[in-house]
Every structure is written in C-alpha cells, then in structure tokens.
Amino acid sequence: MSIPSISSPSLAAAAAPLSSVEASKRLAAYTAVDRHVLPEDKIIGIGSGSTVPYVVERILQQGEERNRDRVFLPTGFQSQELITHAGLRLGDITQYSVLDVTIDGADEVDSDLNCIKGGGACQLREKVLAEAAKTFIVVADYRKNSSVLGTTFITGVPIEVSPFAHSTVLRSLRTKLGSPKAILRMGHAKAGPVVTDNSNFIIDAPFSEDVMKKPHELLAKIKLLTGVVEVGLFCNIVKAAYFGNQDGSVTAKLESGEVVQIEKGH
Ligand SMILES: O=C[C@H](O)[C@H](O)[C@H](O)COP(=O)(O)O
C-alpha cells in the first residue's frame, strides 16, 4: 500500500487559505483525529460530508507507518472515494463488525449530543458504522453547535424510505406525526428524487421545537412507520463532538455532559 506523503500536491492545495467555515471544519477534524485516532486503532470508520475530507487529511499526516496495517470502512460512495484516493486500505462493514473508532460530520448537534444527520442522504450507513464503533466521534464547524435540534438545520429530519412506501410514509408524517411540511427530497442536476447509496428515497420532515426537544421519542415513532429504513436522528451514540470556532478555538462536548474549550494551538 502506498500512502501519499504529507508534501503531496493535494495536501499542498489543502494548505491554501481557507474560508472561516472551512478552517473551522479542518480545526474540528484535526483535533478529533489527534485525540481519538490512536496508534492502536486499526479498524476505522470514515463518515460522509464536507468535513470528513479533513479527517482523512489528518490521518494521512500520521504517516505511512501508522496507517500501514489499518483498514478504513466508508459510510457511502463519497467516503469510499476519499479512502481509495488517499491510498488507504478500503474495507467493508461485512468483514468487520466492530470498529475501533468512527469519525463523521453532523448537520446539527444538541446539548445532549443528539444529532441530525443525513443532509447528504447517508444516514443509514453512517448509523451502522457509528453503532458498530467502540468510539463514535462527530466533527463540525461552529454553525452546527446547537442546544435544540432543528434550530439551525431547518429543512427537517432526513428519513430514508423504501421508494415503494414513500407516499404512505409521507402521509403518516404529515397527518399522524405532526410534520405537515414533510417533503420528498428532489435531486439537483437530476430529474426526480434523490436516490441513496441503498437505492432508497429521502423524506425531509420538519417538526416543532417541542417535538425536537425529545429526539429519542421522535426517532422511535418515525422508525415504527412501515417503509422507513433509517432516521437521521442519532441519539445516545456520540462519545464526543468537536466544533471548530471562528477564533481558532475548538469546543468539545463530551458524553459526560462536560463542555471543554480548547484554545488555539492546544
Ligand atoms: O448524509 C450526510 C451526513 O450525515 C453528513 O455527515 C452531514 O450532512 C454533515 O455534512 P457536512 O460535514 O458537509 O456538514
């Protein structure tokens, strides 16, 4: 296995000045990798989205020796490409049912480390790799750090559904579960609905603040609808969430309830 060196052109490009949001994503990702991707970790889950490339970038910076006997499992097509293009060894969840650590992005994280995920339609595979990991870590920029889910990510809870059942699930969400504005997610630059890596559709279902304050209850109700494959509410899975801030610090929310401020350069 040949792993690109730290001075490769792709990393040189990555070292170019970043916007404040991108810099915050990188800061969160680098901090999380430094703290949670340890020398003894060999089976590593790589999540989806625009923050995760910085996770892979930092893992590469740990060096060829450290990565030689590691296997990386993807949460979808995008992270599979990330892993292979980085020259890291690709594995599959069907080969490894226990992961040492999984690091993933999030659309929003509340005070109790519950998350909305699935803005990129990857929540099914992401949840499988999150639950299979001994340690599941979330990385995001400061915009995702919230106290109640649905405050900043307002398009709704992403719900993966079997195409066959999408209209019945939509009806139940609208008329029984209190999401009258639930809609089928449509593609951009593609006619028709978004189709997931699992050949399913996505429904985005916004709920009131009162309902979003109890994400576990909402998750249970949505999962019981026939045809629902997975819900983009992650409850009681996250061990720690790292948010990069505009001032160069990182806010870490821990499973214990503690919130730690990591100052620039630490
Ligand atoms: O389906 C997509 C995933 O849940 C992403 O991890 C989530 O949307 C966050 O992505 P980003 O890092 O681009 O904000």
Side-chain angles (χ1 to χ4, degrees):
M1 178 178 56
S2 162
I3 295 168
S5 73
I6 292 172
S7 59
S8 72
S10 58
L11 288 177
L18 298 175
S19 71
S20 136
V21 168
E22 286 302 308
S24 304
K25 290 178 186 179
R26 185 169 68 181
L27 200 54
Y30 277 26
T31 306
V33 169
D34 291 354
R35 291 175 171 227
H36 297 283
V37 183
L38 307 175
E40 61 269 30
D41 294 330
K42 302 298 179 198
I43 316 293
I44 298 168
I46 300 293
S48 325
S50 58
T51 313
V52 159
Y54 299 115
V55 169
V56 173
E57 188 174 289
R58 192 59 161 178
I59 287 172
L60 282 176
Q61 290 173 16
Q62 292 185 340
E64 187 163 353
E65 183 62 33
R66 185 80 63 85
N67 285 304
R68 197 184 305 281
D69 59 349
R70 282 177 168 166
V71 179
F72 295 84
L73 312 191
T75 52
F77 183 85
Q78 179 225 351
S79 48
Q80 179 176 315
E81 296 272 287
L82 258 180
I83 293 165
T84 52
H85 288 165
L88 297 168
R89 183 178 296 124
L90 183 69
D92 190 90
I93 187 70
T94 55
Q95 301 167 286
Y96 305 94
S97 55
V98 179
L99 288 74
D100 293 310
V101 57
T102 293
I103 303 191
D104 201 347
D107 297 302
E108 193 173 352
V109 185
D110 75 9
S111 314
D112 299 318
L113 290 182
N114 301 304
C115 306
I116 295 181
K117 287 183 53 55
C122 298
Q123 70 267 29
L124 168 61
R125 296 187 188 200
E126 289 177 340
K127 200 178 273 190
V128 171
L129 264 68
E131 288 180 348
K134 292 177 201 159
T135 304
F136 177 54
I137 303 295
V138 159
V139 290
D141 64 75
Y142 53 91
R143 301 171 304 170
K144 318 293 183 69
N145 186 0
S146 173
S147 51
V148 179
L149 297 180
T151 308
T152 57
F153 191 76
I154 55 172
T155 49
V157 176
I159 303 165
E160 181 160 352
V161 289
S162 162
F164 179 77
H166 82 271
S167 61
T168 52
V169 172
L170 261 178
R171 182 176 155 75
S172 296
L173 286 164
R174 289 173 181 161
T175 62
K176 296 181 186 161
L177 293 195
S179 181
K181 295 191 174 156
I183 50 163
L184 186 63
R185 189 184 297 178
M186 303 308 280
H188 297 289
K190 185 256 180 201
V194 166
V195 178
T196 70
D197 288 342
N198 317 299
S199 305
N200 293 315
F201 292 170
I202 296 285
I203 289 172
D204 291 303
F207 292 90
S208 70
E209 187 180 334
D210 276 352
V211 172
M212 294 304 287
K213 279 181 178 166
K214 296 173 188 159
H216 309 75
E217 287 180 18
L218 181 60
L219 168 59
K221 283 182 189 161
I222 299 173
K223 272 206 101 163
L224 278 177
L225 298 175
T226 302
V228 167
V229 179
E230 193 47 77
V231 183
L233 287 170
F234 285 43
C235 302
N236 295 331
I237 314 178
V238 177
K239 285 272 190 294
Y242 291 86
F243 305 94
N245 297 316
Q246 285 171 295
D247 64 1
S249 67
V250 172
T251 301
K253 285 179 171 175
L254 310 180
E255 199 184 20
S256 59
E258 205 183 344
V259 179
V260 180
Q261 204 63 19
I262 304 163
E263 293 311 324
K264 194 175 177 177
H266 289 82

